[in-house]
Amino acid sequence: MVGYTGGPVQVSIKGWGGGTESSLMRFLDNKTGRSVNIKSVNYRGDIMYVLVPSMDIAQELLKLSGIRFAGGKLIFQLKIPQVRFGADSTGRDMQGSSSTSESANIKDRLINLLQTRADMQGSSLDLSSLAQDNIIRSIGADPLRDGKIFKAILVIAEQIYPGLVTISFADNGLRSLRSIVDLGAHFPGLRNLSLMNNMISDFRELDCLSSAGSTAPLSQLAELILLGNPAREAELAQPGGGVSYVDKVHQRFPTVSMLDMNPVTPRAQPGLLAEVHGDGDAIKQLPFSTEQSFVENQGIGDMANTFLAGFFGLYDGNRSGLANIYDQEAQFSLMVDTSPPTNAFAQPKAQSQKHVDLSVYIRISRNLARVKSHIKRSSALTVGRDAIIQTISQLPATQHPVQDAQRFSFDAWQANVPGAQGVPLTVAILVIHGEFTELPSQNTISFDRVFALAPAQPGSAAASVGSPCVIVNDQLTLRRYNGFHSWLAMPADPPAAASGGLSPEQQEMARALQEQTGLNAEWTLKCLENYGWNYQLALSEFPQIRGTLPREAFQ
């Protein structure tokens, strides 16, 4: 097969959305009669990309195209693009040969290059100083003059390392980014990008990687390094250049929370897009769905949007950077609830049944002996910004799934509280219920967090990093995983109750779910209602709750 030189093969899968990743893998193992042995999984929209060990397995998957799975029809396609390098007017490549074997030889060398520059996990790739690389020199390529070498590298990198989240193009003398314009198409989940020490003299060069000029922008980008580029240095030399520099970056990459290795407050969370109405005006949205939540007014909502986007980005990625947004006299309290999960839908989940060691949190708490009934709780109070940063830096690393809005409930309102010398202080109260993954244990832990926020004063540390407020009180409660079903939005007036029937869309969802699960009509409706008439969620969660349902729930 032209373009294939052995080794792992990437296959795209369409039509799997009615099931889960794990159920699909079991299905493929069963249908092929062998372990497919997926090496990595990546997503672009509703298409799943899997890396299989060999062409033989890829061909077996291709034979399954058209098979029914979870209410849909699976379509498999090979992803082996043919790579061409810098062809001249005669059709000859860089080596002066148009032979397939020569192209394959070049591809082998580029694979060699990538293997020497990627980390062990295949999540980070260093493509800096390519012109000085011996492998690039052996090909006869000049990255400064022939951008096709970057295009070829990205094509191959996607095949070998589809899970890349960090790439460096530092020290390549790049004046234009057109040679890496497809970066977002190859790696839509890219979070960290270094363009340090290049020759970028105009911020508009960044447009081809952003929504301003790309159909596949870097919408997940959290860190960007532009140190050593003329455009950055010229902007910072202007009066007020620090603010305008950050603004120009955020105009293109609103999710960036770390710029040139310094924390900044992002304008949006990765994975969340502004809703565009018919008049073309972009409306800001909160980081979490408010369908089951309460926000007092638009002003509070806008403030909460900016604050929470910055807070969770820094809490997961750089907690020391939070020092700028805690008040000097702020208070932080931590409570640990070790009682068993109470939510009926969460109880059968693996996250709830797994033993989770909360001792690291309890040790940080000061009152270890507090016991009420069968519920053990430990709480601690820390006062002062420096002490708070020291305390939260001792807590395990985390990853909050902020891209999945249904896993959080959010409320925000304004209140007056006693301030210094008895003068009332107007604050915003933010209450968040959600979950996070503890690293590296991969434990899922539920939490409640209550913030009291005061306006950031002009010239303050918080204002200098773009935060609209400072934290005066932060109360964190942790517990074993208790799910998120208790706050899922339910229809205010379900058609079944209001008119004695279901809408056509709901009838189709009920028919499909009943066919897939074997539930009777009554329990099919109960299942859909419990999951807010979210068909895919109900179907993916069904294997977890099946064992808890009574026999009469089934046909």
Side-chain angles (χ1 to χ4, degrees):
M1 179 174 293
V2 176
Y4 178 66
T5 59
V9 181
Q10 191 176 61
V11 178
S12 68
I13 307 176
K14 297 180 181 179
W16 65 278
T20 63
E21 179 183 313
S22 59
S23 65
L24 176 60
M25 299 310 159
R26 290 194 298 270
F27 179 81
L28 296 181
D29 287 347
N30 180 55
K31 292 299 179 182
T32 58
R34 63 191 288 185
S35 174
V36 177
N37 194 20
I38 302 296
K39 292 183 173 297
S40 65
V41 179
N42 194 25
Y43 300 91
R44 189 178 304 159
D46 59 356
I47 303 176
M48 178 189 294
Y49 293 85
V50 299
L51 196 66
V52 298
S54 67
M55 180 60 75
D56 288 341
I57 294 179
Q59 294 290 359
E60 288 191 39
L61 293 181
L62 290 183
K63 294 176 183 177
L64 296 177
S65 275
I67 195 171
R68 303 287 299 182
F69 169 75
K73 183 184 294 185
L74 296 179
I75 302 296
F76 298 84
Q77 287 184 319
L78 285 180
K79 301 293 289 182
I80 307 178
Q82 187 172 353
V83 182
R84 295 275 298 175
F85 307 92
D88 59 23
S89 59
T90 68
R92 296 178 176 271
D93 60 25
M94 296 173 187
Q95 301 297 307
S97 169
S98 58
S99 67
T100 301
S101 60
E102 187 66 23
S103 293
N105 179 264
I106 294 175
K107 182 176 180 180
D108 287 342
R109 295 189 199 183
L110 292 182
I111 291 174
N112 233 359
L113 171 80
L114 293 172
Q115 291 173 339
T116 63
R117 287 174 170 258
D119 66 357
M120 292 289 290
Q121 293 76 34
S123 62
S124 178
L125 182 62
D126 179 7
L127 295 177
S128 62
S129 305
L130 283 184
Q132 284 74 50
D133 191 280
N134 288 333
I135 295 177
I136 295 296
R137 287 179 172 180
S138 73
I139 296 174
D142 184 353
L144 296 182
R145 298 185 178 183
D146 189 353
K148 290 184 180 180
I149 191 66
F150 283 109
K151 293 179 181 293
I153 288 172
L154 292 179
V155 167
I156 300 171
E158 181 188 7
Q159 291 181 314
I160 304 175
Y161 306 116
L164 279 176
V165 295
T166 300
I167 299 182
S168 172
F169 292 98
D171 298 293
N172 278 306
L174 295 173
R175 298 178 182 275
S176 168
L177 300 182
R178 302 306 302 178
S179 58
I180 60 171
V181 67
D182 296 325
L183 187 60
H186 291 298
F187 304 105
L190 193 73
R191 292 185 58 82
N192 311 296
L193 174 64
S194 174
L195 297 170
M196 185 168 66
N197 295 336
N198 281 291
M199 300 298 293
I200 301 169
S201 58
D202 193 326
F203 281 99
R204 286 175 293 185
E205 285 296 334
L206 299 173
D207 290 351
C208 66
L209 301 180
S210 74
S211 57
S214 173
T215 57
L218 299 177
S219 59
Q220 304 286 320
L221 196 64
E223 180 176 9
L224 178 64
I225 301 178
L226 293 172
L227 291 165
N229 281 280
R232 174 190 184 272
E233 309 311 325
E235 191 66 32
L236 291 178
Q238 301 295 321
V243 174
S244 62
Y245 170 56
V246 174
D247 184 61
K248 286 189 174 183
V249 170
H250 275 158
Q251 286 175 14
R252 294 161 173 87
F253 309 107
T255 56
V256 165
S257 60
M258 188 69 67
L259 179 59
D260 299 334
M261 294 177 281
N262 290 306
V264 294
T265 302
R267 292 183 179 178
Q269 277 288 4
L272 296 172
L273 303 176
E275 178 184 355
V276 179
H277 289 244
D279 56 5
D281 293 332
I283 307 299
K284 286 186 178 180
Q285 292 183 322
L286 293 172
F288 314 112
S289 170
T290 59
E291 291 179 2
Q292 67 276 356
S293 304
F294 168 77
V295 177
E296 185 175 27
N297 56 54
Q298 185 64 41
I300 294 290
D302 288 344
M303 181 276 297
N305 175 53
T306 303
F307 168 77
L308 288 174
F311 181 86
F312 282 116
L314 291 173
Y315 191 87
D316 288 342
N318 178 28
R319 291 182 188 169
S320 62
L322 290 170
N324 290 319
I325 58 176
Y326 275 96
D327 184 74
Q328 185 66 38
E329 303 299 325
Q331 295 185 349
F332 169 76
S333 65
L334 170 66
M335 187 174 80
V336 183
D337 183 346
T338 61
S339 59
T342 57
N343 186 284
F345 280 91
Q347 286 170 350
K349 294 296 189 67
Q351 301 101 310
S352 298
Q353 295 176 351
K354 180 181 179 182
H355 173 71
V356 177
D357 184 6
L358 297 173
S359 60
V360 63
Y361 303 99
I362 295 174
R363 280 198 300 271
I364 293 174
S365 300
R366 294 180 179 176
N367 183 5
L368 301 180
R370 184 181 179 190
V371 179
K372 284 190 176 181
S373 181
H374 64 286
I375 299 177
K376 297 180 181 179
R377 293 191 178 97
S378 175
S379 62
L381 178 66
T382 303
V383 179
R385 178 173 59 203
D386 295 340
I388 291 173
I389 298 302
Q390 182 179 4
T391 298
I392 64 177
S393 295
Q394 297 174 35
L395 299 174
T398 57
Q399 184 63 55
H400 292 73
V402 292
Q403 294 91 341
D404 192 349
Q406 68 183 359
R407 295 182 183 272
F408 297 86
S409 176
F410 167 87
D411 300 298
W413 67 93
Q414 188 171 290
N416 292 324
V417 299
Q421 300 176 342
V423 178
L425 177 66
T426 300
V427 298
I429 305 296
L430 272 66
V431 181
I432 305 167
H433 310 284
E435 64 187 67
F436 62 79
T437 300
E438 181 188 74
L439 304 176
S441 70
Q442 296 297 316
N443 291 329
T444 304
I445 296 176
S446 291
F447 76 91
D448 308 306
R449 200 152 196 164
V450 182
F451 293 104
L453 306 173
Q457 298 302 314
S460 65
S464 69
V465 296
S467 177
C469 50
V470 293
I471 304 169
V472 296
N473 197 291
D474 177 6
Q475 301 174 18
L476 175 60
T477 301
L478 305 177
R479 58 175 57 86
R480 288 173 57 188
Y481 181 72
N482 204 37
F484 53 88
H485 306 87
S486 20
W487 60 69
L488 283 180
M490 295 291 289
D493 189 11
S499 60
L502 301 174
S503 69
E505 182 181 4
Q506 288 175 319
Q507 289 177 15
E508 179 60 25
M509 279 193 283
R511 183 202 60 75
L513 186 65
Q514 189 171 14
E515 178 182 331
Q516 292 294 322
T517 62
L519 291 171
N520 62 32
E522 177 187 358
W523 281 85
T524 297
L525 293 180
K526 284 183 178 180
C527 185
L528 285 167
E529 288 170 356
N530 274 317
Y531 289 103
W533 287 92
N534 184 327
Y535 171 74
Q536 290 196 356
L537 178 62
L539 186 62
S540 65
E541 295 289 320
F542 176 74
Q544 304 291 335
I545 66 170
R546 181 180 188 125
T548 68
L549 300 177
R551 182 176 300 176
E552 58 267 24
F554 296 89
Q555 301 179 59

